[in-house]
Amino acid sequence: MAKVQCSVSPEGSNDQLLGELDFGGMTWTGNLKYGSMGGGRVYGMNYYQGITQRLAMGGEGMYIAANGNMLSSYTLKYEMPAPAADDELPSSTSSITPEAPPQAQQLENQPSSWMCAQLHPTQGMFNMHYKRVVTPNRVTLGAELNMTPTLESTVMLGAEFNLTRSKVALGIDGTGKLQSTLETKLGRVPGVPTLNFSSEVDFASDSMKFGYGLNVG
């Protein structure tokens, strides 16, 4: 698949023209970029390869001739499967347990959690993300860690709970700032209004914020 992006600035010095070509196979994907930015050529490419069914690695690079910058990043992702239903049954009953339907087997084989690490050598940044599906379509946990050359690291922990007609999300960072949102539907039919509540408590600055909204249509 190919696509072209064009951006024109009033002064003309920040005009951009970028063409991209996407291609891939069964276990890999790639991308090539070529164009102009800031009066100079731009060359870029990325490659993402599945090593095993759970492990994948990739990298991306871009050269901007206008300022001579070479940008690069590397990604590693590992997926961890959910335990199968047979693991929770006694071994004596495993031989007489009927085979699960194809749809149930597909759900069991879906990853229950994944971890992704990204390294940006040019900026000296390192990011790590973790997501854990405790109960499919119900309870999800997550964590994020960002580190920079100035030794200013940030960490964020979060949780999301999906109920029948509402969704609750909670998050707290390393400074003790707590954020929460509540979204609920005022009915069961499609297109009903949605009521939203949000709050933020910053213990470091001793401040608290609260808001609400109503979406109709």
Side-chain angles (χ1 to χ4, degrees), residues 15-206:
D15 295 349
Q16 298 181 13
L17 178 63
L18 186 64
E20 297 186 34
L21 178 63
D22 296 327
F23 49 90
M26 295 293 294
T27 61
W28 62 276
T29 60
N31 174 273
L32 294 176
K33 298 182 178 67
Y34 177 76
S36 64
M37 181 184 303
R41 301 294 182 184
V42 175
Y43 308 89
M45 68 173 297
N46 65 64
Y47 181 78
Y48 194 71
Q49 173 70 57
I51 308 300
T52 66
Q53 291 184 352
R54 307 299 178 190
L55 177 65
M57 303 175 62
E60 180 177 5
M62 177 177 288
Y63 176 72
I64 304 177
N67 51 22
N69 285 343
M70 177 63 187
L71 307 178
S72 62
S73 64
Y74 305 93
T75 302
L76 184 147
K77 184 177 181 181
Y78 182 72
E79 299 180 346
M80 288 155 279
D86 292 343
D87 296 340
E88 302 176 358
L89 296 176
S91 58
S92 60
T93 62
S94 59
S95 60
I96 61 174
T97 301
E99 184 179 0
Q103 185 177 6
Q105 292 180 352
Q106 182 179 3
L107 292 175
E108 291 173 2
N109 293 330
Q110 289 182 352
S112 63
S113 61
W114 57 261
M115 179 181 64
C116 180
Q118 293 181 320
L119 176 64
H120 308 272
T122 308
Q123 297 87 356
M125 298 178 58
F126 176 77
N127 305 324
M128 180 172 287
H129 309 269
Y130 176 78
K131 179 181 178 181
R132 170 69 175 175
V133 179
V134 181
T135 304
N137 301 320
R138 287 292 185 180
V139 182
T140 304
L141 305 178
E144 179 180 344
L145 174 65
N146 299 317
M147 293 187 291
T148 62
T150 57
L151 301 180
E152 295 179 357
S153 302
T154 60
V155 62
M156 172 71 75
L157 303 176
E160 184 179 88
F161 305 91
N162 289 293
L163 307 178
T164 303
R165 289 184 296 170
S166 60
K167 179 173 66 174
V168 180
L170 304 172
I172 184 170
D173 62 11
T175 63
K177 181 184 295 184
L178 178 63
Q179 298 175 330
S180 63
T181 60
L182 169 63
E183 177 182 326
T184 180
K185 295 182 179 180
L186 305 179
R188 295 181 177 272
V189 298
V192 297
T194 302
L195 186 62
N196 300 277
F197 296 93
S198 63
S199 65
E200 178 181 295
V201 180
D202 191 347
F203 295 98
S205 60
D206 194 20

